[in-house]
Amino acid sequence: MIKAGIIGATGYAGAELVRLLSAHPEVEIAFLGSRSFDWQEFSSIFRDLAGVADEKCSNMSLKEMALGADVVFTATPQGFSSSEMDEEILENAKVIDLSGDFRLKDPAVFEKWYGIPQGAPQFLDEAVYGLCEIWRDEIKAPGVRLVANPGCFTTCSILTAWPAAAEGLIDTDTLVIDGKSGVSGAGRGAKVQNLFCEVNESVKGYGLGNHRHTPEIEEQLSCAAGKPVTVSFTPYLVPMERGILISEYASMRPGATGDDFAAAYEKYYGGEEFVRLLPEGVSPETRWVKGTNTIEIGFKTDPRTGRVILLGAIDNLVKGAAGQAVQNMNLLFGLPEGMGLHR
């Protein structure tokens, strides 16, 4: 059995990890880390897991947890993982980091967008970006110790655009991305702007022009396109618990058709376990991916404007966080990629 530890186990993404790993046939949850609920039973905080996850939480350090675990998931605020990471930790356990600490390869870019220094730049080259459908071979390569689990907006945005960018079907200089997210995407910490009365019956944009997921999207889509990509990205908060819907708009390559887009997406995702491709003109919906590790992707060409609309939907806590982290763990340990991720 793989011994797993979770730091930040009582946050939304951490609790989702507990739910998934507690049913995983090859995993034993050895440690549940939480500062806020130190020495409280996990099932007293999340009663739906009573009898399943009754272990007490502990305010353990990453180094302490790595001594007794095969893999540690860090579902923590930005800056925690990189401030604690060192060679001893990675010699003892593999780490799957759900924060943004190791996703960007340039520490200066990280500091610009996150407003804090990157605490362990010596591990940035080693960290593998854990977008499984794109970087599968790199993730499961021998010796990988550190995986940067992608963000929720970025997972949906990148997967939705990748085939079109990689096949040159769009002018990436014209790419505009809108993202709608449920409130759980903001985390479990108490914030006035996330109170029920603040978000109910309302939709608002935020992080206008400076959302921290922007450089992550740009870095990855630059890999797809084979050239630098700059995007306009605007996230929106919508009054639902979970789910992300991404809408992307770009000018099409002259002469490109709906058949070209359908062929490109089939080429990249046709055999993918967790990608559901929709016929042209059918929009993804968050309700059809809720609680799953699946992304729905659709598109609609618009010959009148010469643009294409690309659409993607995921559950931000599963495919956008915990489910993708389990998918990465399965790859790291040579297990079937979908193990523990099907309802």
Side-chain angles (χ1 to χ4, degrees):
M1 298 287 282
I2 298 167
K3 290 187 175 182
I6 304 166
I7 295 184
T10 55
Y12 288 136
E16 197 72 13
L17 266 170
V18 176
R19 179 182 71 83
L20 292 170
L21 292 176
S22 64
H24 195 291
E26 295 292 335
V27 173
E28 171 194 346
I29 299 178
F31 306 104
L32 295 173
S34 174
R35 288 180 178 174
S36 302
F37 297 94
D38 191 20
W39 288 107
Q40 291 190 42
E41 289 185 0
F42 186 85
S43 58
S44 72
I45 307 160
F46 295 93
R47 290 202 303 272
D48 59 319
L49 291 173
V52 176
D54 295 322
E55 299 86 355
K56 287 185 177 181
C57 299
S58 173
N59 185 18
M60 299 178 72
S61 69
L62 178 55
K63 184 168 291 188
E64 289 173 319
M65 195 173 286
L67 287 173
D70 300 307
V71 59
V72 177
F73 299 87
T74 49
T76 50
Q78 325 304 331
F80 173 86
S81 297
S82 61
S83 68
E84 296 225 343
M85 192 65 62
D86 63 22
E87 183 64 28
E88 182 182 346
I89 290 168
L90 293 176
E91 286 177 355
N92 287 311
K94 297 180 185 295
V95 176
I96 299 174
D97 180 41
L98 279 74
S99 78
D101 284 10
F102 296 98
R103 296 174 190 159
L104 298 168
K105 292 302 183 185
D106 187 338
V109 174
F110 176 88
E111 185 168 357
K112 174 185 175 181
W113 287 87
Y114 284 83
I116 56 174
Q118 208 290 339
Q122 69 271 28
F123 296 114
L124 289 176
D125 287 340
E126 176 178 352
V128 178
Y129 192 73
L131 193 60
C132 302
E133 286 75 15
I134 305 300
W135 302 115
R136 178 176 290 113
D137 290 342
E138 287 75 10
I139 297 164
K140 66 181 183 181
V144 172
R145 307 184 297 174
L146 176 59
V147 172
N149 208 64
C152 50
F153 275 129
T154 51
T155 292
C156 202
S157 298
I158 295 163
L159 289 177
T160 299
W162 188 283
E167 295 297 305
L169 293 174
I170 58 173
D171 178 358
T172 53
D173 291 336
T174 67
L175 185 58
V176 175
I177 303 175
D178 285 346
K180 284 80 173 176
S181 174
V183 184
S184 61
R188 197 166 179 237
K191 306 180 184 91
V192 170
Q193 64 267 31
N194 296 334
L195 294 173
F196 177 83
C197 290
E198 302 294 325
V199 302
N200 189 44
E201 299 297 333
S202 181
V203 177
K204 67 176 181 180
Y206 64 98
L208 304 178
N210 63 2
H211 193 276
R212 59 183 54 170
H213 282 178
T214 304
E216 192 179 334
I217 296 169
E218 292 178 341
E219 185 170 288
Q220 291 297 309
L221 290 183
S222 295
C223 293
K227 63 177 183 178
V229 171
T230 301
V231 303
S232 294
F233 171 60
T234 303
Y236 297 84
L237 186 68
V238 299
M240 62 182 183
E241 290 182 9
R242 56 204 291 167
I244 281 181
L245 181 70
I246 291 292
S247 307
E248 304 181 337
Y249 311 88
S251 296
M252 294 186 291
R253 183 184 69 196
T257 67
D259 287 343
D260 294 327
F261 282 89
Y265 281 79
E266 183 66 26
K267 172 183 174 181
Y268 283 83
Y269 300 144
E272 288 294 339
E273 191 170 359
F274 296 113
V275 180
R276 183 183 303 137
L277 298 176
L278 304 178
E280 180 171 8
V282 178
S283 179
E285 298 183 47
T286 56
R287 62 174 173 162
W288 301 129
V289 294
K290 184 177 180 180
T292 79
N293 197 53
T294 296
I295 178 171
E296 277 196 347
I297 298 177
F299 73 94
K300 181 67 174 75
T301 54
D302 185 358
R304 184 182 68 85
T305 62
R307 290 192 288 269
V308 65
I309 306 167
L310 306 171
L311 300 147
I314 63 170
D315 185 318
N316 57 295
L317 296 180
V318 188
K319 186 59 174 170
Q324 185 153 242
V326 173
Q327 194 177 351
N328 274 305
M329 180 201 70
N330 287 338
L331 287 172
L332 285 175
F333 287 90
L335 300 174
E337 193 168 330
M339 182 175 284
L341 290 170
H342 294 286
R343 294 192 288 184

